[in-house]
Amino acid sequence: MSPVIEVHARARLITDGPLTRPVPVDLRYDPADERRTVHIGLPDGTDWAFGRDLLERGLRTPIERGDVRVWPCGRTQLIVELHSTDGVEVFQFEIRTLIRFLARTRAQTPVTPPDAAREPQPPSRTTRRPERGAQAQRGTQPARG
């Protein structure tokens, strides 16, 4: 079994005010997950989970699925917009960080036969992340919308 890929990265939290602020985020991917789900762990302990394909497509063109919207911003940035009952959080990522992360996930993903293609999973959000090195928790809430 391949190890879980976890990358500690920085994103910029975009706010209504004139300033943005850098925030630490954790990008996580478990190659054993057949749904090919990526996780973005936020500083407040919230974990957003959605299909890797959403992030990959968002590098090239705007895409929306459930409560998550992703789009490129110029040549070097990517915007990830997360909607919840608490409001909207908008993060700006360096594209090169996400490209490296996604390349690592593809390198660790087992090849799936073409007839095993699955319907994309709706994004989900949990409010607690698993401890480092612990097995990912399965208790995610379905996306509203």
Side-chain angles (χ1 to χ4, degrees):
M1 180 162 107
S2 300
V4 172
I5 297 166
E6 188 167 14
V7 174
H8 306 291
R10 292 193 92 50
R12 297 202 68 77
L13 178 62
I14 309 297
T15 65
D16 291 341
L19 300 176
T20 63
R21 66 181 173 98
V23 294
V25 296
D26 292 324
L27 305 172
R28 192 168 37 84
Y29 178 79
D30 184 352
D33 182 356
E34 293 179 10
R35 297 175 296 160
R36 295 195 167 104
T37 302
V38 295
H39 295 261
I40 296 179
L42 303 177
D44 65 0
T46 302
D47 183 75
W48 282 85
F50 49 89
R52 179 179 68 186
D53 65 311
L54 182 67
L55 199 53
E56 289 173 329
R57 291 180 187 174
L59 291 169
R60 296 180 305 279
T61 186
I63 186 167
E64 176 181 349
R65 189 175 303 142
D67 295 334
V68 179
R69 295 181 181 128
V70 181
W71 67 92
C73 180
R75 298 176 80 149
T76 62
Q77 306 293 319
L78 181 83
I79 303 296
V80 177
E81 184 177 293
L82 307 169
H83 293 252
S84 72
T85 56
D86 298 330
V88 178
E89 293 179 295
V90 180
F91 295 91
Q92 182 178 17
F93 288 88
E94 292 286 330
I95 283 181
R96 67 177 179 234
T97 301
L98 296 174
I99 288 173
R100 283 193 302 261
F101 171 71
L102 290 169
R104 288 181 63 196
T105 68
R106 283 190 299 276
Q108 292 293 325
T109 301
V111 177
T112 304
D115 62 342
R118 289 180 167 56
E119 185 69 25
Q121 295 294 317
S124 62
R125 179 181 101 141
T126 59
T127 54
R128 294 174 44 172
R129 281 183 275 171
E131 295 298 318
R132 290 186 202 277
Q135 188 175 21
Q137 295 177 358
R138 302 274 183 220
T140 59
Q141 299 173 354
R144 295 172 208 43

